[in-house]
């Protein structure tokens, strides 16, 4: 085996392995708004994770090094990012249908109202997601006492948050969003968010490298080791140096 002729190949293989380790990108999310991408990028960069932003007709995308993928997903999930998309009044009443029954109009209005309120509550610090259910009873003829509307609010908070302190404000916001809704008819339930069972910031040295990059680096190291051993074992003339018997 011509070991001297193998040196350029081994060097090229080592260089290719290093490039694979440093240049592999994994896409986290795509098709999002620029504001969401920037918010997620800020969270990751504050944890020392390099990010790459790109845009297309479908929207904006965010990518990280493959070795940081698990840590990046854990960090974003702990912050409730990307946020849930809500269909507000503008999306629900888009005018696609010319004629709608009173029942359909009412159902669409209730859905849009719940989405609008939930979107507002999800912006509160510490809230990962929110769901709102408003009940508006229909008035019946000849009724002396009109049924009162009611609202139920489900909030999912981060482990380090204390959303309970905002309950009075939340109830007031919901009450002022619905006609004739009374403060005491608003119920707020708070639950811990169901986050991934991973640490907020994973240890920097525990990320799993891509298999193909690790294999290439291992092969390059093996060839380099064989090359160094062969260099010590071979002397000019092509004969192996033999030990003298003691």
């Amino acid at each position: 085996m011509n070991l001297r002729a193998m040196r350029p190949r081994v060097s090229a293989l080592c260089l290719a392995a290093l490039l694979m380790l440093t240049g592999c990108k994994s896409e986290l999310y795509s098709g999002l708004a620029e504001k969401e991408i920037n918010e997620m990028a800020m969270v990751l960069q504050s944890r020392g994770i390099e990010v790459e932003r790109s845009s297309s007709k479908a929207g904006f995308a965010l990518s990280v090094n493959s070795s940081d993928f698990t840590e990046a997903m854990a960090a974003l999930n702990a912050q409730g990012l990307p946020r849930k998309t809500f269909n507000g009044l503008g999306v629900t009443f888009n005018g696609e249908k010319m004629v709608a029954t009173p029942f359909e109009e009412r159902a669409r209005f209730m859905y849009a109202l719940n989405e609008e309120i939930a979107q507002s509550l999800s912006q509160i610090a510490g809230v990962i997601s929110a769901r709102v259910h408003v009940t508006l009873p229909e008035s019946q003829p000849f009724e002396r006492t009109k049924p009162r509307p009611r609202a139920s609010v489900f909030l999912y908070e981060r482990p380090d948050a204390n959303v309970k302190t905002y309950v009075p404000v939340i109830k007031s916001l919901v009450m002022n969003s619905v006609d004739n809704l009374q403060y005491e008819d608003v119920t707020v339930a708070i639950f811990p968010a169901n986050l991934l069972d991973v640490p907020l910031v994973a240890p920097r040295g525990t990320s799993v490298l891509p298999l193909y990059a690790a294999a290439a680096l291992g092969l390059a190291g093996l060839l380099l080791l064989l090359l160094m051993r062969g260099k010590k074992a071979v002397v000019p003339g092509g004969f192996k140096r033999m030990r003298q018997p003691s």
Side-chain angles (χ1 to χ4, degrees), residues 3-6 8 30 41 48 56-57 63 87 159 194 224 244:
L3 298 177
R4 187 170 298 178
M6 288 180 59
S30 62
S56 62
K57 294 182 179 180
S63 302
N87 295 325
N194 185 21
L224 184 60
Q244 297 293 335

Side-chain angles (χ1 to χ4, degrees), residues 40-59:
M40 291 190 292
M42 182 179 64
V43 171
L44 297 181
Q45 288 173 342
S46 66
R47 286 160 171 75
I49 301 177
E50 296 182 1
V51 300
E52 181 178 299
R53 283 166 280 198
S54 59
S55 61
S56 62
K57 294 182 179 180

Side-chain angles (χ1 to χ4, degrees), residues 20-183:
M20 291 171 67
L21 289 174
T22 58
C24 295
K25 296 289 184 180
S26 294
E27 188 177 87
L28 292 174
Y29 294 99
S30 62
L32 299 178
E34 184 178 9
K35 181 180 179 180
E36 290 184 286
I37 292 296
N38 291 337
E39 186 178 5
M40 291 190 292
M42 182 179 64
V43 171
L44 297 181
Q45 288 173 342
S46 66
R47 286 160 171 75
I49 301 177
E50 296 182 1
V51 300
E52 181 178 299
R53 283 166 280 198
S54 59
S55 61
S56 62
K57 294 182 179 180
F60 291 83
L62 186 67
S63 302
V64 297
N65 292 330
S66 296
S67 57
D68 293 330
F69 182 85
T70 302
E71 180 180 346
M73 290 296 293
L76 293 178
N77 186 75
Q79 298 295 324
L81 298 174
R83 302 185 185 278
K84 177 185 174 182
T85 302
F86 294 90
N87 295 325
L89 292 171
V91 176
T92 305
F93 294 95
N94 53 15
E96 291 182 355
K97 190 173 182 180
M98 297 296 296
V99 180
T101 64
F103 177 79
E104 291 176 335
E105 287 292 335
R106 179 179 175 80
R108 292 167 64 185
F109 173 77
M110 293 299 302
Y111 173 78
L113 179 62
N114 292 334
E115 289 283 282
E116 288 281 352
I117 299 175
Q119 182 177 14
S120 300
L121 297 180
S122 65
Q123 303 301 316
I124 298 176
V127 175
I128 295 294
S129 63
R131 292 184 64 86
V132 177
H133 300 281
V134 176
T135 302
L136 296 178
E138 296 185 19
S139 59
Q140 301 294 334
F142 309 109
E143 276 187 339
R144 293 184 178 181
T145 304
K146 185 178 181 180
R148 293 160 55 176
R150 299 181 182 275
S152 299
V153 178
F154 301 86
L155 300 177
Y156 301 88
E157 65 176 356
R158 288 169 46 185
D160 57 343
N162 187 17
V163 182
K164 292 181 179 180
T165 57
Y166 303 129
V167 168
V169 178
I170 293 171
K171 295 180 69 173
S172 297
L173 289 173
V174 176
M175 179 190 70
N176 294 326
S177 300
V178 181
D179 290 338
N180 301 321
L181 180 62
Q182 302 299 317
Y183 183 89

